mmCIF file with all atom_site columns, all heavy atoms in Angstrom:
data_model
loop_
_atom_site.group_PDB
_atom_site.id
_atom_site.type_symbol
_atom_site.label_atom_id
_atom_site.label_alt_id
_atom_site.label_comp_id
_atom_site.label_asym_id
_atom_site.label_entity_id
_atom_site.label_seq_id
_atom_site.pdbx_PDB_ins_code
_atom_site.Cartn_x
_atom_site.Cartn_y
_atom_site.Cartn_z
_atom_site.occupancy
_atom_site.B_iso_or_equiv
_atom_site.pdbx_formal_charge
_atom_site.auth_seq_id
_atom_site.auth_comp_id
_atom_site.auth_asym_id
_atom_site.auth_atom_id
_atom_site.pdbx_PDB_model_num
ATOM 1   N N   . GLY L 1 1  ? -40.469 67.582 -173.530 1.00 0.00 ? 1  GLY L N   1
ATOM 2   C CA  . GLY L 1 1  ? -40.402 68.083 -174.874 1.00 0.00 ? 1  GLY L CA  1
ATOM 3   C C   . GLY L 1 1  ? -39.269 67.452 -175.680 1.00 0.00 ? 1  GLY L C   1
ATOM 4   O O   . GLY L 1 1  ? -39.134 67.655 -176.853 1.00 0.00 ? 1  GLY L O   1
ATOM 5   N N   . TYR L 1 2  ? -38.495 66.627 -175.044 1.00 0.00 ? 2  TYR L N   1
ATOM 6   C CA  . TYR L 1 2  ? -37.340 65.939 -175.795 1.00 0.00 ? 2  TYR L CA  1
ATOM 7   C C   . TYR L 1 2  ? -37.432 64.420 -175.573 1.00 0.00 ? 2  TYR L C   1
ATOM 8   O O   . TYR L 1 2  ? -37.712 63.989 -174.444 1.00 0.00 ? 2  TYR L O   1
ATOM 9   C CB  . TYR L 1 2  ? -36.064 66.470 -175.201 1.00 0.00 ? 2  TYR L CB  1
ATOM 10  C CG  . TYR L 1 2  ? -35.865 67.982 -175.470 1.00 0.00 ? 2  TYR L CG  1
ATOM 11  C CD1 . TYR L 1 2  ? -36.312 68.874 -174.503 1.00 0.00 ? 2  TYR L CD1 1
ATOM 12  C CD2 . TYR L 1 2  ? -35.332 68.417 -176.649 1.00 0.00 ? 2  TYR L CD2 1
ATOM 13  C CE1 . TYR L 1 2  ? -36.184 70.271 -174.689 1.00 0.00 ? 2  TYR L CE1 1
ATOM 14  C CE2 . TYR L 1 2  ? -35.239 69.787 -176.885 1.00 0.00 ? 2  TYR L CE2 1
ATOM 15  C CZ  . TYR L 1 2  ? -35.643 70.715 -175.914 1.00 0.00 ? 2  TYR L CZ  1
ATOM 16  O OH  . TYR L 1 2  ? -35.554 72.016 -176.183 1.00 0.00 ? 2  TYR L OH  1
ATOM 17  N N   . TYR L 1 3  ? -37.140 63.675 -176.633 1.00 0.00 ? 3  TYR L N   1
ATOM 18  C CA  . TYR L 1 3  ? -37.242 62.242 -176.604 1.00 0.00 ? 3  TYR L CA  1
ATOM 19  C C   . TYR L 1 3  ? -36.035 61.691 -177.436 1.00 0.00 ? 3  TYR L C   1
ATOM 20  O O   . TYR L 1 3  ? -35.886 61.997 -178.585 1.00 0.00 ? 3  TYR L O   1
ATOM 21  C CB  . TYR L 1 3  ? -38.513 61.765 -177.169 1.00 0.00 ? 3  TYR L CB  1
ATOM 22  C CG  . TYR L 1 3  ? -38.719 60.283 -177.253 1.00 0.00 ? 3  TYR L CG  1
ATOM 23  C CD1 . TYR L 1 3  ? -38.703 59.444 -176.078 1.00 0.00 ? 3  TYR L CD1 1
ATOM 24  C CD2 . TYR L 1 3  ? -38.771 59.633 -178.559 1.00 0.00 ? 3  TYR L CD2 1
ATOM 25  C CE1 . TYR L 1 3  ? -38.895 58.057 -176.200 1.00 0.00 ? 3  TYR L CE1 1
ATOM 26  C CE2 . TYR L 1 3  ? -38.905 58.222 -178.613 1.00 0.00 ? 3  TYR L CE2 1
ATOM 27  C CZ  . TYR L 1 3  ? -38.944 57.512 -177.475 1.00 0.00 ? 3  TYR L CZ  1
ATOM 28  O OH  . TYR L 1 3  ? -39.048 56.113 -177.485 1.00 0.00 ? 3  TYR L OH  1
ATOM 29  N N   . GLN L 1 4  ? -35.173 60.962 -176.776 1.00 0.00 ? 4  GLN L N   1
ATOM 30  C CA  . GLN L 1 4  ? -34.050 60.314 -177.412 1.00 0.00 ? 4  GLN L CA  1
ATOM 31  C C   . GLN L 1 4  ? -33.131 61.391 -178.096 1.00 0.00 ? 4  GLN L C   1
ATOM 32  O O   . GLN L 1 4  ? -32.664 61.157 -179.234 1.00 0.00 ? 4  GLN L O   1
ATOM 33  C CB  . GLN L 1 4  ? -34.499 59.217 -178.411 1.00 0.00 ? 4  GLN L CB  1
ATOM 34  C CG  . GLN L 1 4  ? -35.202 58.040 -177.764 1.00 0.00 ? 4  GLN L CG  1
ATOM 35  C CD  . GLN L 1 4  ? -35.588 56.952 -178.692 1.00 0.00 ? 4  GLN L CD  1
ATOM 36  O OE1 . GLN L 1 4  ? -35.634 57.157 -179.964 1.00 0.00 ? 4  GLN L OE1 1
ATOM 37  N NE2 . GLN L 1 4  ? -35.904 55.773 -178.250 1.00 0.00 ? 4  GLN L NE2 1
ATOM 38  N N   . GLY L 1 5  ? -32.973 62.479 -177.392 1.00 0.00 ? 5  GLY L N   1
ATOM 39  C CA  . GLY L 1 5  ? -32.089 63.482 -177.892 1.00 0.00 ? 5  GLY L CA  1
ATOM 40  C C   . GLY L 1 5  ? -32.610 64.365 -179.013 1.00 0.00 ? 5  GLY L C   1
ATOM 41  O O   . GLY L 1 5  ? -31.912 65.179 -179.587 1.00 0.00 ? 5  GLY L O   1
ATOM 42  N N   . ARG L 1 6  ? -33.911 64.215 -179.198 1.00 0.00 ? 6  ARG L N   1
ATOM 43  C CA  . ARG L 1 6  ? -34.492 65.037 -180.330 1.00 0.00 ? 6  ARG L CA  1
ATOM 44  C C   . ARG L 1 6  ? -35.815 65.584 -179.819 1.00 0.00 ? 6  ARG L C   1
ATOM 45  O O   . ARG L 1 6  ? -36.291 65.314 -178.734 1.00 0.00 ? 6  ARG L O   1
ATOM 46  C CB  . ARG L 1 6  ? -34.792 64.166 -181.582 1.00 0.00 ? 6  ARG L CB  1
ATOM 47  C CG  . ARG L 1 6  ? -33.578 63.401 -181.992 1.00 0.00 ? 6  ARG L CG  1
ATOM 48  C CD  . ARG L 1 6  ? -33.957 62.495 -183.233 1.00 0.00 ? 6  ARG L CD  1
ATOM 49  N NE  . ARG L 1 6  ? -34.329 63.240 -184.409 1.00 0.00 ? 6  ARG L NE  1
ATOM 50  C CZ  . ARG L 1 6  ? -34.562 62.592 -185.486 1.00 0.00 ? 6  ARG L CZ  1
ATOM 51  N NH1 . ARG L 1 6  ? -34.471 61.322 -185.678 1.00 0.00 ? 6  ARG L NH1 1
ATOM 52  N NH2 . ARG L 1 6  ? -34.879 63.357 -186.591 1.00 0.00 ? 6  ARG L NH2 1
ATOM 53  N N   . TYR L 1 7  ? -36.455 66.567 -180.600 1.00 0.00 ? 7  TYR L N   1
ATOM 54  C CA  . TYR L 1 7  ? -37.728 67.155 -180.241 1.00 0.00 ? 7  TYR L CA  1
ATOM 55  C C   . TYR L 1 7  ? -38.734 65.974 -180.190 1.00 0.00 ? 7  TYR L C   1
ATOM 56  O O   . TYR L 1 7  ? -38.778 65.125 -181.124 1.00 0.00 ? 7  TYR L O   1
ATOM 57  C CB  . TYR L 1 7  ? -38.224 68.140 -181.198 1.00 0.00 ? 7  TYR L CB  1
ATOM 58  C CG  . TYR L 1 7  ? -37.404 69.474 -181.272 1.00 0.00 ? 7  TYR L CG  1
ATOM 59  C CD1 . TYR L 1 7  ? -37.420 70.236 -182.366 1.00 0.00 ? 7  TYR L CD1 1
ATOM 60  C CD2 . TYR L 1 7  ? -36.684 69.852 -180.097 1.00 0.00 ? 7  TYR L CD2 1
ATOM 61  C CE1 . TYR L 1 7  ? -36.689 71.393 -182.406 1.00 0.00 ? 7  TYR L CE1 1
ATOM 62  C CE2 . TYR L 1 7  ? -35.960 71.018 -180.184 1.00 0.00 ? 7  TYR L CE2 1
ATOM 63  C CZ  . TYR L 1 7  ? -35.912 71.851 -181.307 1.00 0.00 ? 7  TYR L CZ  1
ATOM 64  O OH  . TYR L 1 7  ? -35.273 72.890 -181.307 1.00 0.00 ? 7  TYR L OH  1
ATOM 65  N N   . CYS L 1 8  ? -39.533 65.936 -179.132 1.00 0.00 ? 8  CYS L N   1
ATOM 66  C CA  . CYS L 1 8  ? -40.582 64.921 -179.026 1.00 0.00 ? 8  CYS L CA  1
ATOM 67  C C   . CYS L 1 8  ? -41.725 65.278 -180.055 1.00 0.00 ? 8  CYS L C   1
ATOM 68  O O   . CYS L 1 8  ? -41.957 66.468 -180.200 1.00 0.00 ? 8  CYS L O   1
ATOM 69  C CB  . CYS L 1 8  ? -41.123 64.857 -177.571 1.00 0.00 ? 8  CYS L CB  1
ATOM 70  S SG  . CYS L 1 8  ? -42.374 63.599 -177.342 1.00 0.00 ? 8  CYS L SG  1
ATOM 71  N N   . PRO L 1 9  ? -42.391 64.283 -180.574 1.00 0.00 ? 9  PRO L N   1
ATOM 72  C CA  . PRO L 1 9  ? -43.515 64.595 -181.437 1.00 0.00 ? 9  PRO L CA  1
ATOM 73  C C   . PRO L 1 9  ? -44.612 65.517 -180.717 1.00 0.00 ? 9  PRO L C   1
ATOM 74  O O   . PRO L 1 9  ? -45.194 66.362 -181.328 1.00 0.00 ? 9  PRO L O   1
ATOM 75  C CB  . PRO L 1 9  ? -44.103 63.259 -181.726 1.00 0.00 ? 9  PRO L CB  1
ATOM 76  C CG  . PRO L 1 9  ? -42.960 62.345 -181.735 1.00 0.00 ? 9  PRO L CG  1
ATOM 77  C CD  . PRO L 1 9  ? -42.062 62.866 -180.567 1.00 0.00 ? 9  PRO L CD  1
ATOM 78  N N   . CYS L 1 10 ? -44.726 65.368 -179.405 1.00 0.00 ? 10 CYS L N   1
ATOM 79  C CA  . CYS L 1 10 ? -45.658 66.245 -178.669 1.00 0.00 ? 10 CYS L CA  1
ATOM 80  C C   . CYS L 1 10 ? -45.301 67.703 -178.726 1.00 0.00 ? 10 CYS L C   1
ATOM 81  O O   . CYS L 1 10 ? -46.073 68.587 -178.748 1.00 0.00 ? 10 CYS L O   1
ATOM 82  C CB  . CYS L 1 10 ? -45.875 65.769 -177.272 1.00 0.00 ? 10 CYS L CB  1
ATOM 83  S SG  . CYS L 1 10 ? -44.569 66.149 -176.108 1.00 0.00 ? 10 CYS L SG  1
ATOM 84  N N   . LEU L 1 11 ? -43.939 67.954 -178.648 1.00 0.00 ? 11 LEU L N   1
ATOM 85  C CA  . LEU L 1 11 ? -43.479 69.326 -178.814 1.00 0.00 ? 11 LEU L CA  1
ATOM 86  C C   . LEU L 1 11 ? -43.657 69.832 -180.202 1.00 0.00 ? 11 LEU L C   1
ATOM 87  O O   . LEU L 1 11 ? -44.043 71.032 -180.383 1.00 0.00 ? 11 LEU L O   1
ATOM 88  C CB  . LEU L 1 11 ? -41.977 69.413 -178.433 1.00 0.00 ? 11 LEU L CB  1
ATOM 89  C CG  . LEU L 1 11 ? -41.360 70.742 -178.520 1.00 0.00 ? 11 LEU L CG  1
ATOM 90  C CD1 . LEU L 1 11 ? -42.027 71.885 -177.644 1.00 0.00 ? 11 LEU L CD1 1
ATOM 91  C CD2 . LEU L 1 11 ? -39.834 70.702 -178.133 1.00 0.00 ? 11 LEU L CD2 1
ATOM 92  N N   . GLU L 1 12 ? -43.447 69.015 -181.212 1.00 0.00 ? 12 GLU L N   1
ATOM 93  C CA  . GLU L 1 12 ? -43.632 69.446 -182.591 1.00 0.00 ? 12 GLU L CA  1
ATOM 94  C C   . GLU L 1 12 ? -45.122 69.802 -182.781 1.00 0.00 ? 12 GLU L C   1
ATOM 95  O O   . GLU L 1 12 ? -45.428 70.765 -183.519 1.00 0.00 ? 12 GLU L O   1
ATOM 96  C CB  . GLU L 1 12 ? -43.193 68.340 -183.517 1.00 0.00 ? 12 GLU L CB  1
ATOM 97  C CG  . GLU L 1 12 ? -41.660 68.087 -183.514 1.00 0.00 ? 12 GLU L CG  1
ATOM 98  C CD  . GLU L 1 12 ? -41.218 66.964 -184.391 1.00 0.00 ? 12 GLU L CD  1
ATOM 99  O OE1 . GLU L 1 12 ? -42.143 66.116 -184.751 1.00 0.00 ? 12 GLU L OE1 1
ATOM 100 O OE2 . GLU L 1 12 ? -40.030 66.844 -184.664 1.00 0.00 ? 12 GLU L OE2 1
ATOM 101 N N   . GLN L 1 13 ? -46.031 69.017 -182.238 1.00 0.00 ? 13 GLN L N   1
ATOM 102 C CA  . GLN L 1 13 ? -47.417 69.315 -182.325 1.00 0.00 ? 13 GLN L CA  1
ATOM 103 C C   . GLN L 1 13 ? -47.749 70.642 -181.633 1.00 0.00 ? 13 GLN L C   1
ATOM 104 O O   . GLN L 1 13 ? -48.583 71.398 -182.079 1.00 0.00 ? 13 GLN L O   1
ATOM 105 C CB  . GLN L 1 13 ? -48.217 68.135 -181.724 1.00 0.00 ? 13 GLN L CB  1
ATOM 106 C CG  . GLN L 1 13 ? -48.209 66.841 -182.518 1.00 0.00 ? 13 GLN L CG  1
ATOM 107 C CD  . GLN L 1 13 ? -48.861 65.742 -181.770 1.00 0.00 ? 13 GLN L CD  1
ATOM 108 O OE1 . GLN L 1 13 ? -49.371 65.930 -180.672 1.00 0.00 ? 13 GLN L OE1 1
ATOM 109 N NE2 . GLN L 1 13 ? -48.763 64.532 -182.359 1.00 0.00 ? 13 GLN L NE2 1
ATOM 110 N N   . ALA L 1 14 ? -47.126 70.858 -180.512 1.00 0.00 ? 14 ALA L N   1
ATOM 111 C CA  . ALA L 1 14 ? -47.351 72.123 -179.747 1.00 0.00 ? 14 ALA L CA  1
ATOM 112 C C   . ALA L 1 14 ? -46.860 73.322 -180.583 1.00 0.00 ? 14 ALA L C   1
ATOM 113 O O   . ALA L 1 14 ? -47.481 74.397 -180.533 1.00 0.00 ? 14 ALA L O   1
ATOM 114 C CB  . ALA L 1 14 ? -46.709 72.049 -178.458 1.00 0.00 ? 14 ALA L CB  1
ATOM 115 N N   . ILE L 1 15 ? -45.728 73.142 -181.234 1.00 0.00 ? 15 ILE L N   1
ATOM 116 C CA  . ILE L 1 15 ? -45.236 74.198 -182.058 1.00 0.00 ? 15 ILE L CA  1
ATOM 117 C C   . ILE L 1 15 ? -46.167 74.535 -183.253 1.00 0.00 ? 15 ILE L C   1
ATOM 118 O O   . ILE L 1 15 ? -46.459 75.691 -183.478 1.00 0.00 ? 15 ILE L O   1
ATOM 119 C CB  . ILE L 1 15 ? -43.836 73.861 -182.593 1.00 0.00 ? 15 ILE L CB  1
ATOM 120 C CG1 . ILE L 1 15 ? -42.802 73.701 -181.506 1.00 0.00 ? 15 ILE L CG1 1
ATOM 121 C CG2 . ILE L 1 15 ? -43.304 74.827 -183.634 1.00 0.00 ? 15 ILE L CG2 1
ATOM 122 C CD1 . ILE L 1 15 ? -41.505 73.117 -181.864 1.00 0.00 ? 15 ILE L CD1 1
ATOM 123 N N   . ALA L 1 16 ? -46.732 73.469 -183.882 1.00 0.00 ? 16 ALA L N   1
ATOM 124 C CA  . ALA L 1 16 ? -47.668 73.643 -185.001 1.00 0.00 ? 16 ALA L CA  1
ATOM 125 C C   . ALA L 1 16 ? -48.924 74.314 -184.446 1.00 0.00 ? 16 ALA L C   1
ATOM 126 O O   . ALA L 1 16 ? -49.480 75.226 -185.100 1.00 0.00 ? 16 ALA L O   1
ATOM 127 C CB  . ALA L 1 16 ? -48.051 72.274 -185.593 1.00 0.00 ? 16 ALA L CB  1
ATOM 128 N N   . ALA L 1 17 ? -49.357 73.966 -183.267 1.00 0.00 ? 17 ALA L N   1
ATOM 129 C CA  . ALA L 1 17 ? -50.669 74.560 -182.682 1.00 0.00 ? 17 ALA L CA  1
ATOM 130 C C   . ALA L 1 17 ? -50.388 76.098 -182.419 1.00 0.00 ? 17 ALA L C   1
ATOM 131 O O   . ALA L 1 17 ? -51.240 76.878 -182.654 1.00 0.00 ? 17 ALA L O   1
ATOM 132 C CB  . ALA L 1 17 ? -50.991 73.879 -181.407 1.00 0.00 ? 17 ALA L CB  1
ATOM 133 N N   . ALA L 1 18 ? -49.183 76.415 -181.942 1.00 0.00 ? 18 ALA L N   1
ATOM 134 C CA  . ALA L 1 18 ? -48.848 77.806 -181.687 1.00 0.00 ? 18 ALA L CA  1
ATOM 135 C C   . ALA L 1 18 ? -48.814 78.566 -182.976 1.00 0.00 ? 18 ALA L C   1
ATOM 136 O O   . ALA L 1 18 ? -49.279 79.712 -182.979 1.00 0.00 ? 18 ALA L O   1
ATOM 137 C CB  . ALA L 1 18 ? -47.498 77.885 -180.956 1.00 0.00 ? 18 ALA L CB  1
ATOM 138 N N   . ALA L 1 19 ? -48.191 77.932 -184.022 1.00 0.00 ? 19 ALA L N   1
ATOM 139 C CA  . ALA L 1 19 ? -48.139 78.606 -185.323 1.00 0.00 ? 19 ALA L CA  1
ATOM 140 C C   . ALA L 1 19 ? -49.585 78.833 -185.888 1.00 0.00 ? 19 ALA L C   1
ATOM 141 O O   . ALA L 1 19 ? -49.879 79.851 -186.404 1.00 0.00 ? 19 ALA L O   1
ATOM 142 C CB  . ALA L 1 19 ? -47.350 77.792 -186.309 1.00 0.00 ? 19 ALA L CB  1
ATOM 143 N N   . ILE L 1 20 ? -50.485 77.853 -185.702 1.00 0.00 ? 20 ILE L N   1
ATOM 144 C CA  . ILE L 1 20 ? -51.867 77.944 -186.180 1.00 0.00 ? 20 ILE L CA  1
ATOM 145 C C   . ILE L 1 20 ? -52.557 79.064 -185.398 1.00 0.00 ? 20 ILE L C   1
ATOM 146 O O   . ILE L 1 20 ? -53.341 79.904 -186.102 1.00 0.00 ? 20 ILE L O   1
ATOM 147 C CB  . ILE L 1 20 ? -52.566 76.596 -186.009 1.00 0.00 ? 20 ILE L CB  1
ATOM 148 C CG1 . ILE L 1 20 ? -52.002 75.595 -187.043 1.00 0.00 ? 20 ILE L CG1 1
ATOM 149 C CG2 . ILE L 1 20 ? -54.093 76.792 -186.207 1.00 0.00 ? 20 ILE L CG2 1
ATOM 150 C CD1 . ILE L 1 20 ? -52.434 74.205 -186.757 1.00 0.00 ? 20 ILE L CD1 1
ATOM 151 N N   . ARG L 1 21 ? -52.367 79.189 -184.075 1.00 0.00 ? 21 ARG L N   1
ATOM 152 C CA  . ARG L 1 21 ? -53.072 80.244 -183.329 1.00 0.00 ? 21 ARG L CA  1
ATOM 153 C C   . ARG L 1 21 ? -52.538 81.608 -183.854 1.00 0.00 ? 21 ARG L C   1
ATOM 154 O O   . ARG L 1 21 ? -53.333 82.551 -183.948 1.00 0.00 ? 21 ARG L O   1
ATOM 155 C CB  . ARG L 1 21 ? -52.660 80.093 -181.834 1.00 0.00 ? 21 ARG L CB  1
ATOM 156 C CG  . ARG L 1 21 ? -53.432 78.895 -181.151 1.00 0.00 ? 21 ARG L CG  1
ATOM 157 C CD  . ARG L 1 21 ? -53.445 79.008 -179.663 1.00 0.00 ? 21 ARG L CD  1
ATOM 158 N NE  . ARG L 1 21 ? -52.028 78.963 -179.123 1.00 0.00 ? 21 ARG L NE  1
ATOM 159 C CZ  . ARG L 1 21 ? -51.347 77.841 -178.861 1.00 0.00 ? 21 ARG L CZ  1
ATOM 160 N NH1 . ARG L 1 21 ? -51.987 76.674 -179.050 1.00 0.00 ? 21 ARG L NH1 1
ATOM 161 N NH2 . ARG L 1 21 ? -50.126 77.862 -178.464 1.00 0.00 ? 21 ARG L NH2 1
ATOM 162 N N   . SER L 1 22 ? -51.224 81.728 -184.153 1.00 0.00 ? 22 SER L N   1
ATOM 163 C CA  . SER L 1 22 ? -50.714 82.930 -184.643 1.00 0.00 ? 22 SER L CA  1
ATOM 164 C C   . SER L 1 22 ? -51.327 83.258 -186.024 1.00 0.00 ? 22 SER L C   1
ATOM 165 O O   . SER L 1 22 ? -51.670 84.460 -186.293 1.00 0.00 ? 22 SER L O   1
ATOM 166 C CB  . SER L 1 22 ? -49.176 82.859 -184.793 1.00 0.00 ? 22 SER L CB  1
ATOM 167 O OG  . SER L 1 22 ? -48.622 83.982 -185.332 1.00 0.00 ? 22 SER L OG  1
ATOM 168 N N   . MET L 1 23 ? -51.460 82.316 -186.904 1.00 0.00 ? 23 MET L N   1
ATOM 169 C CA  . MET L 1 23 ? -52.069 82.553 -188.248 1.00 0.00 ? 23 MET L CA  1
ATOM 170 C C   . MET L 1 23 ? -53.510 82.995 -188.061 1.00 0.00 ? 23 MET L C   1
ATOM 171 O O   . MET L 1 23 ? -54.033 83.836 -188.922 1.00 0.00 ? 23 MET L O   1
ATOM 172 C CB  . MET L 1 23 ? -51.957 81.287 -189.018 1.00 0.00 ? 23 MET L CB  1
ATOM 173 C CG  . MET L 1 23 ? -50.489 80.979 -189.452 1.00 0.00 ? 23 MET L CG  1
ATOM 174 S SD  . MET L 1 23 ? -50.450 79.446 -190.383 1.00 0.00 ? 23 MET L SD  1
ATOM 175 C CE  . MET L 1 23 ? -51.268 79.876 -191.860 1.00 0.00 ? 23 MET L CE  1
ATOM 176 N N   . ASN L 1 24 ? -54.200 82.467 -187.091 1.00 0.00 ? 24 ASN L N   1
ATOM 177 C CA  . ASN L 1 24 ? -55.666 82.791 -186.995 1.00 0.00 ? 24 ASN L CA  1
ATOM 178 C C   . ASN L 1 24 ? -55.908 83.965 -186.197 1.00 0.00 ? 24 ASN L C   1
ATOM 179 O O   . ASN L 1 24 ? -57.121 84.373 -186.067 1.00 0.00 ? 24 ASN L O   1
ATOM 180 C CB  . ASN L 1 24 ? -56.339 81.578 -186.360 1.00 0.00 ? 24 ASN L CB  1
ATOM 181 C CG  . ASN L 1 24 ? -56.569 80.407 -187.266 1.00 0.00 ? 24 ASN L CG  1
ATOM 182 O OD1 . ASN L 1 24 ? -56.610 80.557 -188.513 1.00 0.00 ? 24 ASN L OD1 1
ATOM 183 N ND2 . ASN L 1 24 ? -56.629 79.220 -186.756 1.00 0.00 ? 24 ASN L ND2 1
ATOM 184 N N   . ARG L 1 25 ? -54.855 84.676 -185.688 1.00 0.00 ? 25 ARG L N   1
ATOM 185 C CA  . ARG L 1 25 ? -55.092 85.826 -184.845 1.00 0.00 ? 25 ARG L CA  1
ATOM 186 C C   . ARG L 1 25 ? -55.948 86.939 -185.509 1.00 0.00 ? 25 ARG L C   1
ATOM 187 O O   . ARG L 1 25 ? -56.724 87.582 -184.780 1.00 0.00 ? 25 ARG L O   1
ATOM 188 C CB  . ARG L 1 25 ? -53.732 86.331 -184.359 1.00 0.00 ? 25 ARG L CB  1
ATOM 189 C CG  . ARG L 1 25 ? -53.801 87.233 -183.148 1.00 0.00 ? 25 ARG L CG  1
ATOM 190 C CD  . ARG L 1 25 ? -52.408 87.460 -182.624 1.00 0.00 ? 25 ARG L CD  1
ATOM 191 N NE  . ARG L 1 25 ? -51.924 86.260 -181.966 1.00 0.00 ? 25 ARG L NE  1
ATOM 192 C CZ  . ARG L 1 25 ? -50.649 85.804 -182.039 1.00 0.00 ? 25 ARG L CZ  1
ATOM 193 N NH1 . ARG L 1 25 ? -49.765 86.558 -182.689 1.00 0.00 ? 25 ARG L NH1 1
ATOM 194 N NH2 . ARG L 1 25 ? -50.269 84.698 -181.513 1.00 0.00 ? 25 ARG L NH2 1
#
């Protein structure tokens, strides 16, 4: 989840996916 001391793009995508699932609940 971390790349070069920052959030990895894959983690940011996972956060967005979690937010989308929450919105569609």
Side-chain angles (χ1 to χ4, degrees):
Y2 297 91
Y3 177 66
Q4 296 181 343
R6 306 176 68 176
Y7 292 156
C8 181
C10 77
L11 177 59
E12 294 176 344
Q13 292 172 2
I15 293 170
I20 289 168
R21 287 194 299 273
S22 178
M23 292 177 66
N24 285 332
R25 197 165 291 144

